[in-house]
Amino acid sequence: MSRTPTGESSLARAVRVLDAFTADRPTLRVSEIARRSGLHVATASRIVGQLVDEGMLARGPDGSVRVGMRLWELASRAAPTRTFRDAAMPFLEDLHAVVGHHAQLAVREGEEVLFVERLSARDAVVNFSRIAGRLPLHLSSSGVVLLAYGPPDVRERVLARPLEAATPATITSPERLRSVLAQVRQQGYALLPGHVHEDATGIAVPVRNGLGEVVAALSVIVPNDDRAASAVPVLLATARGIGRALPGPDGPAGPATSRSG
């Protein structure tokens, strides 16, 4: 594999180009790709051209670049969450029918929450998460559940850095977040009114595999009113159903799993 004078491989630079694309910015100009990847424009342009030739990226009529169909195909074929999603979907659909708003599944990926599925309704309350989208762990009910049951070293790293706010209700105090995480482990769910948007309440519960490990979070986003807490029992029941339906004890995201405490 060829390497640059700095020792970085061609593959590593290609990954940097692909990492420039996000759920919020699925289409980019080459100059933006260069800036986001930290590569020289000429280098980024050459790598983009190679990835376009292989179908990993695609160019629009205006010269903009987006993720190509071949990359999507390969990712869908090899996705580690695919079996988990297939097992969970019947339960997620039933949950969505009951709450009438957003129902979603998420896993921990490093120090972020990654949403692997979401069902919504046309008139549902506002929700900023999306499939294949990420949020900081402290910023959503799913992330708070995954942080509560996650490895202690991850928890300490998150607590040690500044916690960004989306609304005045967002938890930005490490001391308060630590207290909320302990409460989540005690009561078995997170309920965060107005945490990401003033009009919405996020409620999440852990999904456990056959070994009792938390492998994912199941959540709903409902209106921020007195009825929000009524979703907790159906969420807990749905999570138990998903756990029983999982095909094996390993769960969807090996390194992100944690034994419940």
Side-chain angles (χ1 to χ4, degrees):
M1 185 179 299
S2 63
R3 293 183 177 271
T4 67
T6 62
E8 186 179 34
S9 68
S10 299
L11 177 59
R13 286 179 292 165
V15 170
R16 285 167 65 182
V17 166
L18 295 174
D19 275 343
F21 296 89
T22 66
D24 294 325
R25 296 299 303 275
T27 302
L28 298 169
R29 297 281 184 179
V30 171
S31 59
E32 294 176 292
I33 294 173
R35 178 176 56 82
R36 285 169 168 251
S37 64
L39 297 170
H40 190 278
V41 173
T43 301
S45 179
R46 176 172 55 80
I47 295 173
V48 165
Q50 293 170 339
L51 292 171
V52 168
D53 290 343
E54 296 298 330
M56 301 297 180
L57 296 176
R59 291 190 192 273
D62 60 352
S64 61
V65 183
R66 65 181 186 278
V67 172
M69 291 295 291
R70 188 177 181 193
L71 185 60
W72 171 83
E73 178 187 6
L74 291 172
S76 298
R77 190 183 305 160
T81 57
R82 181 175 179 179
T83 301
F84 168 66
R85 177 190 173 279
D86 290 346
M89 276 304 292
F91 300 92
L92 191 66
E93 289 169 349
D94 288 346
L95 175 64
H96 177 246
V98 171
V99 300
H101 287 271
H102 308 280
Q104 50 199 24
L105 287 165
V107 297
R108 182 178 63 82
E109 180 70 14
E111 296 176 21
E112 295 178 305
V113 56
L114 174 64
F115 295 92
V116 300
E117 186 56 84
R118 189 185 82 170
L119 300 178
S120 300
R122 184 179 60 183
D123 298 323
V125 69
V126 65
N127 182 14
F128 292 141
S129 65
R130 63 187 72 188
I131 297 174
R134 297 170 180 251
L135 287 173
L137 284 171
H138 78 283
L139 202 57
S140 73
S141 58
S142 293
V144 167
V145 161
L146 294 169
L147 187 59
Y149 293 97
D153 61 316
V154 173
R155 201 154 53 237
E156 293 307 315
R157 286 199 301 271
V158 171
L159 288 165
R161 68 184 183 218
L163 302 173
E164 65 177 279
T167 74
T170 303
I171 300 172
T172 56
S173 162
E175 292 77 15
R176 183 176 171 227
L177 179 56
R178 192 182 296 276
S179 175
V180 167
L181 296 176
Q183 184 181 33
V184 168
R185 290 191 294 272
Q186 181 180 28
Q187 67 188 14
Y189 65 89
L191 192 154
L192 302 177
H195 199 64
V196 181
H197 191 281
E198 290 88 345
D199 296 334
T201 292
I203 311 170
V205 299
V207 176
R208 303 174 188 270
N209 64 13
L211 297 178
E213 298 167 329
V214 174
V215 295
L218 174 70
S219 64
V220 294
I221 309 298
V222 296
N224 187 7
D225 58 30
D226 294 338
R227 297 169 295 174
S230 65
V232 171
V234 69
L235 263 171
L236 292 169
T238 303
R240 288 193 294 270
I242 293 173
R244 288 193 295 267
L246 292 179
D250 295 332
T257 61
S258 63
R259 192 173 299 278
S260 59

